Amino acid sequence: MTDAPPPSSSPSPSSSPSPSSSSPKAPDASRRSERSRRAILDAALELVGENGFAKLTIEAIAARAGVGKQTIYRWWPSKAAVLFEACVPEGIDPASIELPDTGDIAADLKTVLRATVDDLNNERLDAPTRALTAETANDPELGRALTEKVLEPQLQSYVRRLRAAQEAGQVDPDIDLRIALELLVGPLFHRWQTRTLPLTHAYADTVVDLTLRGLTPRP
Amino acid sequence: MTDAPPPSSSPSPSSSPSPSSSSPKAPDASRRSERSRRAILDAALELVGENGFAKLTIEAIAARAGVGKQTIYRWWPSKAAVLFEACVPEGIDPASIELPDTGDIAADLKTVLRATVDDLNNERLDAPTRALTAETANDPELGRALTEKVLEPQLQSYVRRLRAAQEAGQVDPDIDLRIALELLVGPLFHRWQTRTLPLTHAYADTVVDLTLRGLTPRP
DNA sequence: ATCTAACGAGACGATGCGTCTTGTCAAGAC
DNA sequence: GTCTTGACAAGACGCATCGTCTCGTTAGAT
C-alpha cells in the first residue's frame, strides 16, 4: 500500500528537451495519468488472483481498469511487466531487506528463512511470484529486472550478515559467502519450485543447522 | 533413440472390452499411428529449437509434421505435454540414473553434479527444460508428471547413494537424507533458474565440499 | 473381406493480439 | 483567456491461433 514510487521513468525531468531524435516513441511521462496507472496495476492483481496468470489478458485488464488498451501498451511492454510492477511495491517489505543481527548467526538465519517460508506459503504472494518466475524463461528482460530489483538486493543482505558472522569468527574466513548464501537459499527455493515436499519452518531450521555445520571454522 | 514404448495406454490388452462406459472419449490406442506420433514429437522438438517455446504452436507442429490438428488434440492435452514426451526419452539417460559408488562419496557426488552442470549448460537440453519447468507454474498436471517421471527418480538415486555413505560411516546417521540431497541439488538449481552466476564444475565441487562438511559424523 | 475408428486436410466461430482512429479533456504555452 | 498538444477511453480493425467440427481416405483389428 506504499504510494508507488514513480517507476524510475523520467530519470532527469529536464535533461534532453528533444526526445524526438533516437526512438520514434517516447511518450511524455510528465503527462501520465497516475489514476490510470493505479487502476491498471490493481486490475492486474485482481485478475491474476481470480483466474491465474495464464488467463490474464491485456484486454481484460483494460476493461477491468476502465482504460483504453493503448494506455497499457504505451507504458508497459508485456503483461508480465505490468504484473511485475503491481507486485514489487507490496512484495518487498523495506524492513525485511536487512537481516537481523543479534550476534547469533543461526538464530538470525532461521528467523529470516522462516519468514521466507511464510511468504512462499502465502497464497496472495505465491501465485504472482510463480507466474513471474516462470515468465522469466521466455522473457530474459523480465528476468533481469526481477533479479536486479528484487532478488539480488535480498541476496546481498544475506552476504552482509554472513560477513559479520565471519568477522565474529562464527564462519570460516576462507569461505566464499556468495556460495554460502546459495547453500541456504537454494534448498528452500528448490522445494518451493518443485513442490516435492511441504515448505515448513522445521525444514528451514534444519537447512540452517546442517549448512552452518559446514561453514563453521575448522580447528 | 529408444523405440518409444506405447505410452502406457492399453494396460491390459484384453481386460475390459467396452471402454464406452465412463468417459465419452477414449480413443483406441491400438490403432494409433506410430508414424504420426514420431513426426509430431520430432516436429515439436525442431520448432522449439528454432523459435522457442513461447512461439510454439499446435498448428505449426501439425503443419510441420504433416498431420491433422485433431491427431495432436486426440493424444495430448497441451503443447507442453507434447514437448514433455518429446524430451523425456532422450533427456533421461538410463545409465545416469544410478549414481556411481567408488566408496568416495565426495568424488562420486562431484562426478554426478558436474554432469548435471554440463546438462544444464547444454543448449539442446536447456531451452526445452526451462520451458517445461516454467510451464509447471500454470499446469500442475504437467508438474506432477515431470516430478514423478523425471525428477523424483533422480533424487531417489541420490538418496540411495547417500544411504550407502551413511552405512559406511561417511555421513552422520542422524541426518535426514532427503534434506541432505536437497542441500546438494538446491544450490545448483538455484543458479540455473536465476542465472545470477555461471554454473561451473568448480561451483559444483565447492557445493559438495561445503555440504559434506556439514554432513560428516561429529565426534 | 469387412468394419470401423484414426487419419490428413482444412473450414469454422471465438479470442486475444497489437495497431490505428476518433473524439474528449486537461495541462503547459502564449 | 485562448490555443496547442498529447495522453486518455473507447473500440474497430486485420491477423494469428485456439479448440471443435466436418469431410473423404486409409490402415489396422476381427
Side-chain angles (χ1 to χ4, degrees):
Chain A
M1 206 61 77
T2 61
D3 210 356
S8 80
S9 311
S10 62
S12 41
S14 57
S15 56
S16 46
S18 62
S20 56
S21 55
S22 55
S23 65
K25 325 171 184 187
D28 184 346
S30 70
R31 304 181 67 157
R32 182 170 186 182
S33 160
E34 174 64 15
R35 190 177 183 284
S36 299
R37 180 177 159 276
R38 278 257 46 101
I40 288 164
L41 298 180
D42 291 346
L45 264 188
E46 285 176 30
L47 288 169
V48 108
E50 292 170 19
N51 309 319
F53 180 75
K55 292 182 185 169
L56 186 63
T57 269
I58 297 274
E59 302 214 312
I61 297 175
R64 172 76 61 103
V67 141
K69 290 199 289 175
Q70 195 61 255
T71 302
I72 299 181
Y73 286 112
R74 178 152 42 229
W75 301 108
W76 290 276
S78 67
K79 65 179 183 175
V82 176
L83 191 59
F84 173 61
E85 188 172 333
C87 284
V88 165
E90 65 179 335
I92 288 200
D93 178 357
S96 81
I97 213 156
E98 204 55 43
L99 266 63
D101 188 346
T102 67
D104 181 345
I105 180 68
D108 291 346
L109 287 174
K110 285 178 186 173
T111 300
V112 174
L113 288 187
R114 282 175 174 225
T116 302
V117 165
D118 290 339
D119 282 349
L120 293 176
N121 284 329
N122 176 347
E123 273 308 321
R124 233 170 75 83
L125 295 179
D126 184 75
T129 306
R130 281 202 138 85
L132 289 175
T133 306
E135 203 59 10
T136 273
N138 304 322
D139 186 343
E141 185 58 42
L142 175 72
R144 240 170 286 135
L146 210 53
T147 299
E148 180 185 328
K149 298 262 180 63
V150 181
L151 183 63
E152 205 55 56
Q154 294 181 328
L155 297 187
Q156 285 308 323
S157 76
Y158 278 86
V159 170
R160 284 194 296 275
R161 179 63 187 87
L162 285 167
R163 184 174 303 125
Q166 211 172 34
E167 286 161 0
Q170 295 165 339
V171 166
D172 191 320
D174 291 337
I175 281 175
D176 182 334
L177 297 181
R178 178 71 197 202
I179 297 186
L181 154 214
E182 289 172 314
L183 295 180
L184 292 161
V185 172
L188 278 270
F189 182 68
H190 183 263
R191 270 207 186 181
W192 175 67
Q193 264 281 356
T194 64
R195 307 178 198 248
T196 44
L197 288 172
L199 256 183
T200 62
H201 285 185
Y203 179 63
D205 290 354
T206 307
V207 168
V208 170
D209 287 334
L210 287 180
T211 300
L212 281 184
R213 271 174 60 167
L215 299 183
T216 11
R218 312 226 104 179
Chain B
M1 205 63 75
T2 61
D3 211 351
S8 82
S9 309
S10 64
S12 40
S14 59
S15 57
S16 46
S18 62
S20 57
S21 55
S22 54
S23 65
K25 324 172 185 185
D28 184 345
S30 69
R31 305 181 66 157
R32 182 171 184 182
S33 161
E34 175 64 15
R35 190 178 183 285
S36 299
R37 179 178 159 276
R38 278 258 44 103
I40 289 164
L41 298 180
D42 291 345
L45 264 188
E46 285 176 30
L47 288 168
V48 108
E50 294 170 18
N51 311 320
F53 182 75
K55 291 182 186 171
L56 185 63
T57 270
I58 297 274
E59 302 212 313
I61 297 175
R64 171 76 62 105
V67 142
K69 289 198 289 175
Q70 196 60 256
T71 303
I72 298 180
Y73 286 113
R74 178 150 44 229
W75 301 107
W76 290 277
S78 66
K79 65 178 184 176
V82 175
L83 190 59
F84 173 60
E85 189 173 331
C87 286
V88 165
E90 63 180 335
I92 288 200
D93 177 358
S96 81
I97 213 156
E98 204 57 43
L99 267 62
D101 187 348
T102 67
D104 182 344
I105 180 69
D108 291 348
L109 287 175
K110 285 176 187 174
T111 300
V112 175
L113 287 188
R114 281 174 172 225
T116 302
V117 165
D118 290 340
D119 282 350
L120 293 176
N121 284 329
N122 176 346
E123 273 309 320
R124 234 171 74 82
L125 295 179
D126 183 74
T129 307
R130 282 201 138 85
L132 289 175
T133 306
E135 204 60 10
T136 274
N138 304 322
D139 186 344
E141 185 57 42
L142 174 72
R144 241 170 286 135
L146 210 53
T147 298
E148 180 186 327
K149 299 261 180 62
V150 180
L151 182 64
E152 205 54 56
Q154 293 181 329
L155 299 186
Q156 286 307 321
S157 76
Y158 279 85
V159 171
R160 284 193 297 276
R161 180 62 187 87
L162 286 167
R163 185 174 303 123
Q166 209 173 36
E167 285 161 0
Q170 296 165 336
V171 166
D172 192 321
D174 291 337
I175 281 174
D176 182 334
L177 297 181
R178 178 71 196 202
I179 296 185
L181 151 215
E182 290 173 312
L183 295 181
L184 292 162
V185 172
L188 278 270
F189 182 68
H190 182 263
R191 270 207 185 179
W192 176 69
Q193 265 281 357
T194 63
R195 305 177 200 249
T196 44
L197 289 173
L199 257 182
T200 63
H201 285 186
Y203 179 63
D205 289 354
T206 307
V207 168
V208 170
D209 287 334
L210 287 180
T211 301
L212 281 184
R213 272 173 63 165
L215 299 183
T216 21
R218 314 226 102 179

